[in-house]
Amino acid sequence: MNPHELVLTWLLWHQTVELLKHDIPLMESSDTRFPIVYAGFLRLLGKAAFTKEREAAKELRRAGITIIGEKNDRSEHIVMWRWGDQTEILRIHEVKLREEVQKMIDKLMVKIAEERQ
């Protein structure tokens, strides 16, 4: 993988974890029939996503990439990162980021369902 792909992979997993952290309390307090069961499944997804995020962070360290910062500005997500003596910026539109994160969650759900069978 090239450095840009490594940073993008890390960002997708990082955002997946953040969104799942946000959704768990909402699910627990929701007016659904089994909110604790659904929240438990989200926790399971969150744990798997966190593991993937840590793996992506290790890959960044192995490649010598340092994340300097990230910011959400005008519906665009910006990540500054350093590789060697170069400082780079990754920009991704918020809608595109959300779509990619949803794909990651869908893949995790399928993987977890397959492991449970």
Side-chain angles (χ1 to χ4, degrees):
M1 271 188 177
N2 68 38
H4 181 80
E5 290 171 342
L6 289 172
V7 172
L8 181 60
T9 300
W10 171 81
L11 176 63
L12 292 174
W13 284 119
H14 179 69
Q15 287 299 306
T16 301
V17 169
E18 292 303 314
L19 289 174
L20 287 171
K21 280 183 187 176
H22 176 264
D23 289 348
I24 290 170
L26 295 175
M27 184 56 72
E28 287 176 336
S29 65
S30 71
D31 195 21
T32 58
R33 189 165 183 174
F34 302 108
I36 301 301
V37 174
Y38 296 134
F41 185 69
L42 284 180
R43 272 196 199 87
L44 185 61
L45 282 173
K47 184 177 177 182
F50 183 74
T51 301
K52 293 287 190 177
E53 179 192 13
R54 292 293 109 212
E55 289 172 9
K58 285 179 186 176
E59 288 297 320
L60 289 177
R61 282 192 297 277
R62 280 189 205 118
I65 298 170
T66 304
I67 302 295
I68 298 170
E70 62 178 303
K71 182 176 177 155
N72 197 357
D73 185 38
R74 297 185 198 183
S75 73
E76 190 174 47
H77 204 83
I78 302 166
V79 178
M80 287 187 63
W81 52 284
R82 183 179 308 241
W83 183 49
D85 60 350
Q86 298 176 339
T87 301
E88 304 276 340
I89 295 178
L90 170 70
R91 294 174 180 253
I92 185 168
H93 196 276
E94 190 68 27
V95 173
K96 177 72 172 163
L97 180 62
R98 296 281 175 142
E99 288 173 1
E100 294 299 319
V101 165
Q102 188 58 52
K103 288 178 188 176
M104 302 293 252
I105 291 172
D106 292 344
K107 287 178 187 176
L108 272 180
M109 287 175 32
V110 169
K111 181 181 174 189
I112 289 172
E114 288 173 353
E115 289 174 355
R116 294 271 173 167
Q117 292 179 350

